[in-house]
Amino acid sequence: NPDVQPETSKNKGLGIIFSPTASFSGTLDFYEIRRQNEVDRFSSDNILQRFFEFGESNYANVIFRGTDPETRLKTAAGVPIPGTEPIVGVKRQYLNLGETRTRGVDLELSHRTNFGEMGRLNTKFYMTFITDYSFQRDKGGPFVQYKDAGDTQKQKGRISTNWSRGNWNVFGNLNYVSDYALPRTNSLTGERIECSPTITASVGYTDAVGKDCRVSSWTTFDFGATYTGIKKLRISATVRNAFGRV
C-alpha cells in the first residue's frame, strides 16, 4: 500500500536508582509509551465483519468472489442471484491504524551477601505493574482496555536467589503472575464483554475458569545447579515449574 505512512512513538520515563548500602541496591522506573499511526493489517475475518456486519462499503474492493455462475445462490423460483458466488479471497493491505497506549511501573531490588568460605548469595526481586494498556483500532475510534486481558496481566514478579561456592552454583526462582480476564472486545465500538461468548458456550471451559470468566493467579518455582569442577566441561540441570502449577 503506497499510502502507508511511518508509525510514530512518544515515550516518557522516569527512573530512580538507589543504593543505601554496599550490598543493597534497586531501581524504580515509571514509563508511558504511545504508538500512533500503527502499521498493521486486519484479519480476513475482521474485514468480512466490517463489510457485511457493520456495512463499511470501502472494503468491497478487497473481497473477491468466484466467477462460476453455477455457484450462485438461487431464489425460491430457482433464479440465480448475482453477487452471491462463494468468497474465494480477501486482500489484506497494510494500513495506518490507531494507537496503543502503555503505562506502568517496574521495580527491581538486589541484595548481595558474602559468606566468605561458605560462598556468595545474590538475591533479586523484580515486579512489573501495568496500569494502562489500551488499544485503538481505528483513528478517532474508542480505546479498549486490555491491561488484565489474555497475555497482558497487570502484575508479574520474580524472586530469584543464587548461591555460588567454588565449582558449584545453585539457583531458585519464585515466579508470580496475577489473574486475568478472558473478555470479548469490539474495537469498533469500544465494548468489552467480560466473558467471551466462545467461553460461555462451552460448559467445560466455563467450569475451568469459573463464572466470572477469569483465570486465577499462579505461582511457580524453578531451581537448578551447575558444576564446573571438570576441565572443559560444564554440567547443568534445571527443573522448571517444579510443582506442576498451571
Side-chain angles (χ1 to χ4, degrees):
N1 185 351
D3 296 325
V4 171
Q5 299 298 313
E7 294 183 357
T8 60
S9 176
K10 297 179 180 179
N11 303 324
K12 297 178 182 178
L14 173 63
I16 301 172
I17 301 174
F18 52 93
S19 184
T21 69
S23 60
F24 177 71
S25 62
T27 60
L28 182 62
D29 295 301
F30 301 87
Y31 64 87
E32 180 180 287
I33 303 171
R34 294 180 62 181
R35 291 176 53 195
Q36 299 170 309
N37 216 29
E38 293 186 299
V39 177
D40 202 351
R41 298 188 298 173
F42 293 128
S43 68
S44 298
D45 288 343
N46 195 215
I47 292 173
L48 294 173
Q49 181 187 37
R50 285 168 176 261
F51 179 69
F52 290 106
E53 185 175 342
F54 301 118
E56 298 185 27
S57 58
N58 55 305
Y59 290 102
N61 62 344
V62 298
I63 299 174
F64 305 100
R65 293 182 177 274
T67 57
D68 185 357
E70 295 299 322
T71 61
R72 293 175 180 172
L73 299 177
K74 296 179 175 59
T75 65
V79 179
I81 304 173
T84 60
E85 298 87 352
I87 294 173
V88 296
V90 177
K91 184 178 181 180
R92 300 174 59 217
Q93 289 183 310
Y94 282 99
L95 304 168
N96 286 116
L97 304 178
E99 178 181 345
T100 299
R101 297 176 179 176
T102 308
R103 186 184 301 115
V105 182
D106 292 335
L107 172 65
E108 184 172 344
L109 304 175
S110 178
H111 186 266
R112 299 168 296 281
T113 305
N114 191 335
F115 294 106
E117 294 183 357
M118 295 301 296
R120 296 189 302 272
L121 183 68
N122 296 326
T123 303
K124 287 188 176 182
F125 169 81
Y126 175 78
M127 180 67 79
T128 182
F129 305 87
I130 296 178
T131 58
D132 180 31
Y133 188 92
S134 49
F135 176 66
Q136 178 194 57
R137 170 60 76 179
D138 297 289
K139 294 179 182 179
F143 283 85
V144 181
Q145 185 59 250
Y146 288 95
K147 70 178 179 181
D148 66 338
D151 58 359
T152 313
Q153 297 91 2
K154 289 191 292 185
Q155 299 161 10
K156 292 182 180 180
R158 169 180 288 184
I159 299 176
S160 63
T161 186
N162 178 288
W163 173 77
S164 59
R165 181 189 179 191
N167 297 318
W168 285 97
N169 186 290
V170 179
F171 79 90
N173 297 327
L174 188 66
N175 313 292
Y176 169 78
V177 177
S178 65
D179 66 320
Y180 60 91
L182 297 169
R184 179 177 182 178
T185 59
N186 187 323
S187 57
L188 294 178
T189 64
E191 179 185 18
R192 170 170 163 158
I193 302 173
E194 286 306 312
C195 200
S196 170
T198 304
I199 296 174
T200 56
S202 170
V203 176
Y205 211 154
T206 303
D207 289 343
V209 300
K211 299 297 183 181
D212 59 352
C213 214
R214 297 188 68 87
V215 176
S216 300
S217 63
W218 70 88
T219 303
T220 60
F221 180 68
D222 313 322
F223 68 91
T226 299
Y227 179 70
T228 57
I230 303 175
K231 188 177 181 180
K232 296 184 179 180
L233 181 64
R234 179 187 181 95
I235 303 173
S236 297
T238 301
V239 178
R240 303 291 185 188
N241 192 11
F243 303 112
R245 295 294 303 276
V246 293

